[in-house]
Amino acid sequence: MTGLLSHPFRAVEPFPHPVAAVIRRRAIFECCKWDPQVEDVATIADAPIVLDPEDWRHLVVSAERLAAEVVAAEEELRHRPELHHTLGLPWTVRRLFRRSSGHAFSAAPRLIRFDFHHTDAGWRISEANTDVPGGLNEASGLPRLVAPYVPDAQSAGDVAGCYAGAALAALPAGAHVALMHATAYSDDRQVMTYMAGCLQQRGARVSLVSPAHLRWRGGRAALDTAWSADAVDAVLRFYPAEWMYNLPRACGWPAYFEPTSTPVSNPARALLTQTKRFPLTWDALRTALPSWQALLPETRDPREVQWQGSDEWVLKPALGRVGEDVLIAGVTPANDVRRIARDVRRHPSHWIAQRRFAATPMRVGERDVYPSIGVYTVNGRVAGAYGRIAGKPLIDARARDAAVLIGGVRLQPDLRSVRLEADLST
C-alpha cells in the first residue's frame, strides 16, 4: 500500500488536568472503567493515539486478512491432533480436541484482536488474542469521550456494539444471553458489565455468571443458581479456555470443547491459535498464511535459537496474557529475567522465542511513549481498535489505556470495512 507514513502517530499534547479528570470520571461511570488507577499509576492515558487515515486503512486490510487466515488454520488444526502437542496445550485439553475433531459446531460470532506495533520495518503484530480478547469497554467507550477534545479526529468504531449485534443476529427477540467470566476479577467484570449494557440496549435479557453458574445437558446450557434455572440462548465467554481444565467437573467445562446446541462465543477451539506456539505448526499446515508470515516476527522454539545473552530474541510464555512474563533484554527487570530464563530452560515447550523488533515511539508533550493498536475483527470484519501506551517498549499490565482516533478526515460509515490492495511487505 502506498502512502504509509514512516511515523504514523500524530504528536499530541497531554490533556489539561481538568479535561483528564472529566474523562476519567466519565470512563468510570459510563464505560465501567473500574480500575482507573493501579497502585500509584493511572491506567487511563492522558493523551489519545491519533493515526493517519492511510495507516488505518492498512491496518483494516491487514487485520481482516489475518482473521480469515487464522480461522481457516484453526479449522485445519482442529482436525490435525498430531500437531496439538507442538502447541504446548495441556494433555487434558488435547484429549478433548481429539474427541471433537470430527464434529460440526454451532455457528457463533467470532471476536479476535490483533495487536499491531509500528516498527522500523513498518507495521507488525506482536500477537493475536483469538480466545477472549479484552479491552472492549475501553475500546468502545474511551474514543467517544476523548474525540470531542481532539480536532479533526474520529473513533475507529464501536467494538462492543458490533459484537453485541453479531451475537444477537441469529437469536430470537428477547434472547437470554449468559456472559460467563471470572466473576472475582473486577477487570473481567467491568468488560462483561459493559457488554451487558450493549446487549440490553438491543433487547436481550442478560445474566452475568461464572462457570459454576452454568450447567450443560444434552448440549444445551441453563443457569444453575439460587435465583434461576432458566435456559440460555447463547453464551458469551470471557473465561480463558486454558483455565477451564482446572474447574470442577460439576461445571461441565468439557462442553465448551465439544459441539453444543447452545452457541458459545468465542468457541474454546480458539485455544488452538491463541497459543503463541501456533507458528511452530505452519510448515505442517496446508492452509496458506501469507499475512501472518509477513506481519508476525519470526517465531521459534527456544531450543532452536541462542537466546541467552542475546538482545535479538524476545521470550514469551505460550499461553501468557497482558504481557506477563515476557523477557526483553534491557527492558525486563533483572530479577524477572533470571526467573523467566530458569523456567524457559526447564520447560521450553511452554515458551516461544520471537524475533525482536524496534518499535516506533509516539511523542506526547516532551516525552516518548510506545503505543500498541489492538485491532478487533467481528466475524472477519474490522470493528474498532484498543489503544495502549507504555513508557518502555513492552505492553504489559502497567501500560495505560488510550483512545484510538483516526485523524485527518471525517470517516464515512463504511471506511472500517474498505477492501484495498495492501503491500504486506511494507
Side-chain angles (χ1 to χ4, degrees):
M1 178 182 290
T2 60
L4 295 181
L5 301 181
S6 59
H7 197 287
F9 309 112
R10 180 191 295 181
V12 294
E13 292 296 320
F15 294 124
H17 179 72
V19 171
V22 169
I23 293 171
R24 181 181 187 273
R25 183 169 59 251
R26 292 186 65 191
I28 293 170
F29 291 102
E30 297 178 29
C31 308
C32 303
K33 182 60 177 170
W34 300 335
D35 57 345
Q37 185 163 319
V38 175
E39 297 175 352
D40 293 330
V41 180
T43 62
I44 301 174
D46 59 355
I49 300 170
V50 184
L51 279 173
D52 175 79
E54 288 300 309
D55 281 274
W56 174 243
R57 290 188 181 96
H58 180 76
L59 297 187
V60 167
V61 173
S62 298
E64 293 184 354
R65 289 179 173 175
L66 289 166
E69 292 174 12
V70 77
V71 169
E74 187 179 286
E75 181 62 18
E76 180 181 346
L77 278 169
R78 196 166 70 83
H79 300 282
R80 300 284 302 277
E82 74 277 10
L83 298 177
H84 295 177
H85 183 268
T86 302
L87 297 172
L89 302 179
W91 176 82
T92 305
V93 170
R94 297 202 308 269
R95 184 180 61 178
L96 288 170
F97 279 136
R98 183 181 293 272
R99 278 170 34 187
S100 65
S101 63
H103 301 278
F105 284 73
S106 300
R110 191 60 189 273
L111 175 70
I112 303 175
R113 192 188 75 221
F114 301 96
D115 291 343
F116 283 88
H117 307 257
H118 195 268
T119 76
D120 54 1
W123 287 102
R124 296 293 183 268
I125 61 169
S126 57
E127 60 186 67
N129 194 324
T130 63
D131 186 39
V132 286
L136 301 180
N137 52 327
E138 294 95 344
S140 293
L142 284 180
R144 174 174 53 83
L145 304 183
V146 168
Y149 300 101
V150 183
D152 196 23
Q154 182 168 307
S155 167
D158 177 8
V159 182
C162 288
Y163 187 35
L168 298 177
L171 299 179
H176 183 197
V177 181
L179 301 182
M180 192 264 277
H181 60 292
T183 53
Y185 291 91
S186 63
D187 49 347
D188 291 9
R189 185 72 170 191
Q190 66 185 14
V191 174
M192 289 288 92
T193 301
Y194 190 85
M195 275 302 305
C198 294
L199 290 162
Q200 288 167 334
Q201 289 171 6
R202 290 162 174 79
R205 175 190 169 198
V206 173
S207 293
L208 291 154
V209 298
S210 79
H213 292 140
L214 287 172
R215 291 294 180 271
W216 292 85
R217 298 179 181 88
R220 296 187 179 277
L223 297 184
D224 183 20
T225 70
W227 62 89
S228 176
D230 290 352
V232 300
D233 296 300
V235 177
L236 298 192
R237 178 177 63 86
F238 197 67
Y239 192 95
E242 74 270 21
W243 291 5
M244 287 187 170
Y245 75 102
N246 293 316
L247 292 169
R249 297 286 293 192
C251 294
W253 65 266
Y256 295 96
F257 294 85
E258 300 167 351
T260 59
S261 300
T262 303
V264 179
S265 176
N266 279 331
R269 66 177 180 273
L271 194 58
L272 294 166
T273 52
Q274 171 69 32
T275 169
K276 295 178 182 65
R277 290 176 67 88
F278 165 53
L280 305 187
T281 68
W282 290 356
D283 288 344
L285 292 178
R286 294 180 290 273
T287 303
L289 297 162
S291 300
W292 279 83
Q293 291 169 337
L295 292 169
L296 184 73
E298 179 186 2
T299 302
R300 306 283 292 276
D301 186 296
R303 291 166 287 197
E304 297 176 351
V305 300
Q306 182 56 49
W307 55 267
Q308 298 183 72
S310 171
D311 61 0
E312 296 183 7
W313 297 96
V314 176
L315 295 177
K316 298 181 177 182
L319 294 173
R321 298 175 187 266
V322 295
E324 62 186 2
D325 290 339
V326 173
L327 193 162
I328 303 178
V331 176
T332 305
N335 288 341
D336 290 338
V337 167
R338 289 190 290 271
R339 176 180 55 80
I340 293 169
R342 183 167 57 249
D343 196 76
V344 174
R345 289 191 293 268
R346 290 177 177 174
H347 308 287
S349 63
H350 297 169
W351 295 81
I352 57 98
Q354 187 181 89
R355 182 76 68 177
R356 186 174 181 175
F357 55 70
T360 303
M362 180 181 85
R363 196 71 174 170
V364 177
E366 299 300 316
R367 71 185 193 277
D368 283 340
V369 297
Y370 294 88
S372 169
I373 312 295
V375 181
Y376 297 87
T377 61
V378 175
N379 290 338
R381 303 297 294 273
V382 166
Y386 174 41
R388 305 194 76 199
I389 60 174
K392 57 185 178 182
L394 171 61
I395 303 298
D396 59 14
R398 291 182 174 273
R400 293 181 293 162
D401 302 314
V404 177
L405 303 176
I406 315 305
V409 295
R410 285 293 170 183
L411 299 180
Q412 297 301 313
D414 61 346
L415 181 59
R416 296 187 300 276
S417 300
V418 166
R419 294 292 196 278
L420 296 172
E421 287 301 315
D423 179 6
L424 293 175
S425 64
T426 300

